[in-house]
Amino acid sequence: MQPNFIFIMADQLRWDYLGCTGHPHIKTPAIDALARRGVNFTRAFVQAPVCGGSRMSFYTGRYNITHGATYNNFPLRIDEKTIGDYLRPLGYRVALVGKTHFKADAEAMQRLGIDPSSRVGVFASQCGFEPYERDDGLHPDQIADPNLAYNVWLRQLGYRSKNPWHDFANSVEGENGEVLSGWSMRNARRPARVKEEHSETAYMTDRALAFIDEAGAGPWCLHLSYIKPHWPYIAPAPYHAMYRPEQVIPANRSEAEKTDPHPVMAAFMAHEESIAFSRDEVRETVIPAYMGLISQVDHHVGRVIAHLAKRGLADTTIVIVTSDHGDYLGDHWLGEKDLFHDEIVRIPLIVVDPRAEADATRGREVTDLIEAIDLAPTFLDWAEGTPEAHRLEGRSLRTFVNGSRPEDWRVAAFCDGDFALRHARRRLAVPPSRARGFMVRAARWKYVLFEDLPPQLFDLAADPRELRDLGRAAGYEDVRGEMEARLFVWLRGLKTRVTVSYEQIERRTGKAKERGYLFGVW
Amino acid sequence: MQPNFIFIMADQLRWDYLGCTGHPHIKTPAIDALARRGVNFTRAFVQAPVCGGSRMSFYTGRYNITHGATYNNFPLRIDEKTIGDYLRPLGYRVALVGKTHFKADAEAMQRLGIDPSSRVGVFASQCGFEPYERDDGLHPDQIADPNLAYNVWLRQLGYRSKNPWHDFANSVEGENGEVLSGWSMRNARRPARVKEEHSETAYMTDRALAFIDEAGAGPWCLHLSYIKPHWPYIAPAPYHAMYRPEQVIPANRSEAEKTDPHPVMAAFMAHEESIAFSRDEVRETVIPAYMGLISQVDHHVGRVIAHLAKRGLADTTIVIVTSDHGDYLGDHWLGEKDLFHDEIVRIPLIVVDPRAEADATRGREVTDLIEAIDLAPTFLDWAEGTPEAHRLEGRSLRTFVNGSRPEDWRVAAFCDGDFALRHARRRLAVPPSRARGFMVRAARWKYVLFEDLPPQLFDLAADPRELRDLGRAAGYEDVRGEMEARLFVWLRGLKTRVTVSYEQIERRTGKAKERGYLFGVW
């Protein structure tokens, strides 16, 4: 029987901000319970250090450089197949509640005559998902859709505003009742102006439960994609006050990092968010709210799990919890994301397959190197589809979940980032084509190649917190050479030949003459 | 004023089989005259050593590994833009007469709801060209289209057969009037069973002239794409007898090449076409016909040029003559193509811009490294279009044609080949994903990297005929390392990010906060 999937993503959730991944203070009982019931992949990496590229890798099962939608709002190529395109023909209803950060390639759609309002056009405009509830979660006033469903709902509840997403869900009240915007991090200690049950996280969960009720036995795949704990860092009561500054773990940074920093680091350290997060006051204000938002997500993950049980779907629904990347939060004197420290590229990944085939691994940790692109082929594997290995660059995790380890599993994980749109590029005086970093992370070493600039190298055995960049250090030439060689091999293997399957090739190899092309015959 | 383009390609025409490129015996007066009137690019290279991949590189302006249609009949991705897609919006009529070897991605078209008979569907099915006369030129009986226009025409002329392409245009008569197939190379000395003016080359030329009459002043771009001198090696009278075996240049091969050959060489040497072409009898039978076919193409190129003059279009029409790859013809003990010697990857490329801007270069040879992907951006440049440098991997040749040399011109040319469909892959026991070779050709060295196998290396200064493979030789480790480093840089620069232009990126860089995304603000 084909299982259902509930594929839960929390945006900008760091791998180390869960109870089950070792945070000393945070409360995530629901997700911790999932880890006890399933597999906790503790060395999982995204393929891009930013939402857009990373998500397109999740959804397509292909590396960032391969699918080419390397940054937020860079359209995905019209013929890239996503989880929806893979699962729908197998009988699945594949729906989205929340964020994808997908942008359609409107130019190609127009050139190819694809009507965005047609059935095909809707899927092509929604990353292959049925947009049960599409909401990318960031709605600055000047570009907010007046008909955003969440805003309409808030207005119906009496939150009167043109953009209640901002004015209520992501704003707070000051000492004198004045409205203060969540866009300013100084306001993160105060509660949102919505009740908890009217917050984005609660609303999206309600929508997910509605989908589950509607979709019934399935098979279905629901991508429940929370915007939080992503900024604006505003949590509703009581989560805004759940954590105290003393529960903020110390920043992972050293004074030495500021001495002769790597040029890309230096350029990002000069960003406003990095300067802000370098101040303890900012960390102590923001991180408790960030932690509260995570505990709130956890609470709602618990609601989903309870709902599956209530609907009799617990035994047939596979649950995945992950994120699209982390958040520097001041570590390494940085804010936001875009670079390659574990704070960004390492993600939580918990997989619960309730079926008997996975009984051997309940509560197990897997420390093998996992890539986000492994999920799409895993869904396809669970759904009993054709592997499509000529397109999918990830590998199915089903073997791990069922208690074995593929003997030829990867020995390095890859990630590549594009900072063409970031101000750092101007500071570095790099053209849009060259603002690229390529990361390879093997058992001991993490290496990042930047075009036209020195590399970064970290010895994860001696320096697991990545505080000492050996990219320009003498004595590591051989290591750097080995890591570059791995990147070279990886690039040669990118799956750009997408229109012909391996099976088709096997069938046709050496068969031209059978088809009548009698070349070379005397 | 936008010029017209006539972009002439002769399939499988070696770079060194023209008078103006140094062949001692062949007669190509029309093309030689073009070389005297324009620029002869004498170091031009294709991006794939086989029709399909090479042509898709010509048409898209992108490397073989980038566009991914790496072999014959591998569909091109639906959103790859071709010369037609670039020029049509600029007001051009862009038409095809002859071969493209393009295959549509029918699966993507179906998934995206593109009707193949719609206007958009026709362009998507014809590589972006208006199929004024599409004919890929190879029609084995069992897969020949009964309504192929050339066959219909031949039947109207009285050539009675189900497949007159084969039974007349590519067959001969034996001693006793029996019909002998051109698929057997032993029959290459005899004339085709059609009159010269009814041959494929003549017919396609007639169709080109008809297009020119119809299209008039323009602007238009006509791709006149001859199947010949591609096999079947059958020339009509008098061209079948124009050359004698004594005029066949000696095979470029050495006994040493057969001693411990590179494994890929060995696997291809075992192919039927290689075994056949290793015999002098075969070369002396086939090559005179091959040469005759080239002289016939030359004659018809002359007709096109004369027709342009007659129609008053000579001063406004830019003429390009090139080919999609060469033919081993027994050199290096090989037949056909697929590998990376100059016999295959080097092509003739003659460009005549009749306008005053190019007066400085008439009769000039340019020895810089040119890639086939340079043509698409050159057309776009001449047509005064937007460069689209985020997609196009080639560079405009207009500066060369106008008498200057871009200071930062490339110092290496690249080509990559996919032999997944060739029998050699079975012999090498390589999976479909790994049957790849990557060539880099710099001023002195040519290097070919094969996955899982040793590389090839040729010192073009000491060994211009590429008879001594230094890929496994001691003492060349540094050279091989340098060449691999070039390939690595090249791969990192492949333009997979196709949906966003550099101009869009420049406009948006660092502007997120202006759009209301106030991250990192205290």
Side-chain angles (χ1 to χ4, degrees):
Chain A
M1 212 195 84
Q2 290 171 313
N4 303 316
F5 309 116
I6 182 151
F7 167 26
I8 302 174
M9 183 174 280
D11 199 327
Q12 202 134 331
L13 169 61
R14 279 171 59 139
W15 74 276
D16 55 349
Y17 271 65
L18 295 174
C20 60
T21 56
H23 196 287
H25 304 299
I26 205 162
K27 301 277 184 288
T28 51
I31 297 173
D32 297 349
L34 290 174
R36 286 193 299 274
R37 285 173 44 210
V39 177
N40 187 351
F41 291 96
T42 59
R43 286 210 183 90
F45 295 88
V46 289
Q47 273 54 77
V50 68
C51 296
S54 172
R55 285 165 179 270
M56 296 314 118
S57 284
F58 268 105
Y59 304 146
T60 62
R62 289 154 61 76
Y63 289 107
N64 193 40
I65 189 175
T66 310
H67 62 63
T70 53
Y71 204 78
N72 300 335
N73 296 311
F74 285 7
L76 186 68
R77 295 179 68 165
I78 188 81
D79 70 340
E80 283 288 342
K81 290 173 73 171
T82 66
I83 292 168
D85 298 313
Y86 286 117
L87 294 182
R88 200 171 302 105
L90 299 172
Y92 277 76
R93 182 172 173 191
V94 184
L96 165 73
V97 170
K99 170 170 176 170
T100 59
H101 226 139
F102 171 85
K103 187 169 179 180
D105 185 355
E107 187 194 317
M109 286 178 72
Q110 206 209 343
R111 192 167 70 246
L112 296 170
I114 300 168
D115 176 358
S117 66
S118 67
R119 179 183 154 85
V120 162
V122 168
F123 287 130
S125 303
Q126 296 293 349
C127 200
F129 291 105
E130 169 194 337
Y132 192 80
E133 179 87 25
R134 164 82 184 263
D135 186 339
D136 276 358
L138 293 171
H139 308 286
D141 285 353
Q142 63 267 45
I143 56 178
D145 171 8
N147 298 316
L148 177 74
Y150 178 57
N151 269 345
V152 170
W153 184 71
L154 287 179
R155 278 189 225 111
Q156 285 169 350
L157 289 166
Y159 296 101
R160 297 183 63 174
S161 156
K162 207 177 133 194
N163 184 7
W165 172 87
H166 175 259
D167 297 338
F168 290 93
N170 288 283
S171 286
V172 301
E173 286 180 16
E175 300 284 325
N176 307 307
E178 72 276 25
V179 177
L180 300 171
S181 171
W183 286 119
S184 286
M185 295 195 290
R186 66 175 69 240
N187 300 321
R189 274 212 188 99
R190 296 171 182 272
R193 296 183 69 217
V194 288
K195 289 186 187 171
E196 194 281 328
E197 61 264 36
H198 300 155
S199 67
E200 291 168 277
T201 298
Y203 173 76
M204 291 304 157
T205 307
D206 292 347
R207 295 294 291 147
L209 303 191
F211 173 83
I212 291 167
D213 291 344
E214 189 180 310
W220 49 258
C221 171
L222 173 63
H223 181 35
L224 171 54
S225 186
Y226 292 115
I227 182 66
K228 298 297 185 188
H230 192 288
W231 45 259
Y233 303 104
I234 297 295
Y239 295 99
H240 76 292
M242 197 166 175
Y243 299 99
R244 301 181 311 277
E246 309 86 79
Q247 291 173 308
V248 172
I249 50 176
N252 180 30
R253 65 194 182 199
S254 72
E255 286 299 319
E257 284 182 296
K258 289 198 284 191
T259 312
D260 188 26
H262 185 282
V264 175
M265 286 281 286
F268 275 91
M269 283 175 178
H271 278 192
E272 184 175 14
E273 66 274 13
S274 299
I275 293 167
F277 269 110
S278 293
R279 295 170 46 214
D280 288 340
E281 180 190 9
V282 175
R283 296 186 75 251
E284 288 169 11
T285 303
V286 170
I287 295 177
Y290 178 78
M291 291 168 68
L293 287 166
I294 294 167
S295 286
Q296 190 198 1
V297 165
D298 181 82
H299 167 73
H300 288 279
V301 169
R303 284 180 66 209
V304 171
I305 303 305
H307 197 75
L308 290 172
K310 186 171 145 194
R311 292 288 178 235
L313 296 166
D315 295 342
T316 53
T317 302
I318 294 175
V319 180
I320 295 100
V321 176
T322 189
S323 76
D324 59 346
H325 55 75
D327 189 325
Y328 274 117
L329 298 173
D331 292 353
H332 309 289
W333 311 100
L334 296 168
E336 269 280 89
K337 46 219 171 194
D338 286 307
L339 299 180
F340 300 91
H341 297 92
D342 268 13
E343 283 81 0
I344 302 306
V345 298
R346 192 169 173 183
I347 49 168
L349 177 61
I350 293 150
V351 176
V352 184
D353 181 347
R355 301 172 303 167
E357 69 174 63
D359 279 349
T361 60
R362 309 216 176 276
R364 187 179 289 185
E365 288 191 1
V366 169
T367 57
D368 286 277
L369 294 170
I370 305 301
E371 296 180 326
I373 55 175
D374 295 336
L375 278 185
T378 307
F379 288 133
L380 199 52
D381 191 1
W382 278 324
E384 310 295 348
T386 310
E388 304 219 23
H390 66 291
R391 276 184 177 266
L392 290 162
E393 296 181 324
R395 294 181 61 182
S396 172
L397 301 175
R398 189 175 184 177
T399 304
F400 283 116
V401 175
N402 291 357
S404 307
R405 181 182 181 283
E407 275 187 28
D408 59 346
W409 195 250
R410 70 173 64 90
V411 293
F414 298 88
C415 179
D416 68 275
D418 177 350
F419 55 94
L421 277 195
R422 298 308 311 276
H423 195 272
R425 179 171 75 77
R426 298 257 188 252
R427 188 171 292 260
L428 291 160
V430 172
S433 60
R434 311 283 292 171
R436 299 297 288 266
F438 298 92
M439 180 199 90
V440 49
R441 197 277 196 202
R444 177 168 173 190
W445 302 98
K446 181 190 280 184
Y447 182 81
V448 185
L449 183 153
F450 289 101
E451 293 298 344
D452 308 322
L453 294 166
Q456 288 183 295
L457 177 69
F458 298 101
D459 179 348
L460 304 172
D463 175 30
R465 293 168 63 210
E466 304 175 290
L467 293 169
R468 191 166 159 242
D469 180 358
L470 304 170
R472 291 163 287 169
Y476 295 89
E477 293 76 9
D478 288 353
V479 175
R480 292 192 293 258
E482 280 166 36
M483 300 305 276
E484 290 216 353
R486 285 179 192 267
L487 283 172
F488 185 33
V489 169
W490 168 67
L491 286 170
R492 285 170 2 226
L494 297 181
K495 293 183 177 175
T496 59
R497 188 184 66 190
V498 294
T499 58
V500 186
S501 73
Y502 294 152
E503 295 72 24
Q504 288 172 312
I505 289 174
E506 288 292 3
R507 277 198 301 277
R508 284 173 53 193
T509 301
K511 297 287 174 63
K513 287 178 188 172
E514 290 179 18
R515 298 175 64 226
Y517 298 101
L518 301 175
F519 55 92
V521 175
W522 176 244
Chain B
M1 212 194 87
Q2 290 171 312
N4 303 315
F5 309 116
I6 181 151
F7 167 27
I8 303 175
M9 184 174 280
D11 199 326
Q12 202 135 331
L13 169 61
R14 279 170 59 136
W15 74 276
D16 55 350
Y17 271 65
L18 295 173
C20 59
T21 56
H23 195 288
H25 305 298
I26 205 161
K27 301 277 185 286
T28 51
I31 297 172
D32 298 349
L34 290 174
R36 285 193 299 274
R37 286 173 43 209
V39 177
N40 188 351
F41 292 96
T42 58
R43 285 208 184 91
F45 295 88
V46 289
Q47 273 54 78
V50 67
C51 296
S54 173
R55 286 165 178 270
M56 296 313 117
S57 285
F58 269 105
Y59 304 145
T60 62
R62 289 155 61 76
Y63 289 106
N64 194 40
I65 188 175
T66 310
H67 63 62
T70 53
Y71 205 77
N72 300 335
N73 297 311
F74 285 9
L76 186 68
R77 295 179 69 165
I78 189 80
D79 70 341
E80 284 288 341
K81 289 174 73 170
T82 67
I83 293 168
D85 298 313
Y86 287 116
L87 294 183
R88 199 171 303 105
L90 300 171
Y92 276 76
R93 183 171 173 192
V94 184
L96 165 73
V97 170
K99 171 170 174 170
T100 58
H101 226 139
F102 171 85
K103 186 168 179 181
D105 185 355
E107 187 194 316
M109 286 177 72
Q110 205 208 343
R111 192 166 72 244
L112 296 170
I114 301 168
D115 176 358
S117 67
S118 66
R119 179 183 154 84
V120 162
V122 168
F123 287 129
S125 303
Q126 296 293 347
C127 201
F129 291 105
E130 169 194 337
Y132 192 80
E133 179 87 24
R134 165 83 185 262
D135 186 341
D136 274 359
L138 293 171
H139 307 286
D141 285 354
Q142 62 268 47
I143 56 178
D145 170 8
N147 297 316
L148 177 74
Y150 178 57
N151 268 346
V152 169
W153 183 70
L154 287 179
R155 278 190 224 110
Q156 285 169 351
L157 289 166
Y159 296 101
R160 298 184 61 174
S161 154
K162 207 176 133 195
N163 184 7
W165 172 87
H166 175 258
D167 297 338
F168 290 93
N170 287 284
S171 286
V172 300
E173 285 180 16
E175 300 285 326
N176 307 308
E178 72 277 26
V179 177
L180 301 171
S181 170
W183 287 118
S184 286
M185 295 196 291
R186 67 175 67 241
N187 299 322
R189 274 211 189 98
R190 297 172 181 273
R193 296 183 68 216
V194 288
K195 289 186 187 170
E196 194 281 328
E197 62 265 37
H198 300 155
S199 67
E200 291 168 277
T201 299
Y203 173 77
M204 292 302 158
T205 308
D206 293 347
R207 295 292 292 146
L209 303 191
F211 172 82
I212 292 167
D213 291 344
E214 190 179 310
W220 49 258
C221 171
L222 174 63
H223 181 34
L224 171 55
S225 185
Y226 293 115
I227 182 67
K228 298 297 184 188
H230 193 288
W231 43 260
Y233 303 103
I234 297 295
Y239 294 100
H240 76 292
M242 197 165 176
Y243 299 100
R244 301 182 309 277
E246 310 86 78
Q247 291 173 308
V248 172
I249 50 177
N252 179 30
R253 65 194 181 198
S254 73
E255 286 300 320
E257 285 182 295
K258 289 198 285 192
T259 311
D260 187 25
H262 186 282
V264 174
M265 286 282 286
F268 275 91
M269 283 175 177
H271 279 192
E272 183 175 15
E273 66 275 12
S274 298
I275 293 167
F277 269 111
S278 293
R279 294 170 48 213
D280 288 341
E281 180 189 9
V282 175
R283 297 185 75 252
E284 288 169 9
T285 303
V286 170
I287 295 176
Y290 178 78
M291 293 168 67
L293 287 166
I294 294 167
S295 286
Q296 190 197 3
V297 165
D298 181 83
H299 167 72
H300 288 279
V301 169
R303 285 180 66 210
V304 170
I305 303 304
H307 197 76
L308 290 172
K310 188 171 143 194
R311 292 289 178 234
L313 296 166
D315 295 342
T316 53
T317 302
I318 293 175
V319 181
I320 295 99
V321 176
T322 190
S323 76
D324 59 346
H325 56 75
D327 188 326
Y328 273 116
L329 298 173
D331 291 354
H332 309 290
W333 311 99
L334 295 167
E336 269 281 270
K337 46 218 171 196
D338 286 307
L339 298 180
F340 299 90
H341 297 93
D342 268 12
E343 284 82 0
I344 303 306
V345 298
R346 192 168 172 184
I347 48 168
L349 177 62
I350 292 150
V351 175
V352 184
D353 182 347
R355 301 172 303 167
E357 69 174 64
D359 279 349
T361 60
R362 312 219 174 275
R364 186 178 291 184
E365 288 191 1
V366 169
T367 57
D368 286 278
L369 294 170
I370 305 301
E371 296 181 324
I373 55 176
D374 295 336
L375 278 184
T378 308
F379 289 133
L380 198 53
D381 191 1
W382 278 323
E384 310 297 347
T386 309
E388 303 218 22
H390 65 292
R391 276 183 177 266
L392 291 162
E393 296 180 324
R395 295 181 58 183
S396 173
L397 301 176
R398 189 175 185 179
T399 303
F400 283 115
V401 174
N402 290 357
S404 306
R405 180 182 182 281
E407 273 186 31
D408 59 345
W409 195 250
R410 71 173 64 90
V411 293
F414 297 88
C415 179
D416 69 274
D418 178 350
F419 55 94
L421 277 194
R422 298 307 311 276
H423 196 271
R425 180 173 72 80
R426 297 256 189 253
R427 187 173 292 260
L428 290 160
V430 172
S433 61
R434 312 281 294 170
R436 299 298 288 266
F438 299 92
M439 180 198 92
V440 49
R441 197 277 197 203
R444 176 169 173 189
W445 303 98
K446 182 190 279 184
Y447 182 81
V448 186
L449 183 153
F450 289 101
E451 293 299 342
D452 308 322
L453 294 167
Q456 288 183 295
L457 177 69
F458 298 101
D459 179 348
L460 303 172
D463 175 30
R465 293 167 63 209
E466 304 175 290
L467 294 169
R468 189 164 162 245
D469 180 0
L470 304 170
R472 291 164 288 170
Y476 296 89
E477 292 76 9
D478 287 354
V479 175
R480 292 192 292 258
E482 280 167 36
M483 300 305 275
E484 290 216 353
R486 285 179 193 267
L487 284 172
F488 185 33
V489 169
W490 168 68
L491 286 171
R492 290 181 343 237
L494 297 181
K495 293 181 177 175
T496 59
R497 187 184 65 191
V498 295
T499 59
V500 185
S501 72
Y502 295 152
E503 294 72 23
Q504 288 172 312
I505 289 175
E506 288 292 3
R507 276 199 302 276
R508 285 173 52 192
T509 301
K511 298 285 176 65
K513 287 177 189 172
E514 290 179 20
R515 298 174 64 226
Y517 298 102
L518 301 176
F519 55 92
V521 175
W522 177 244

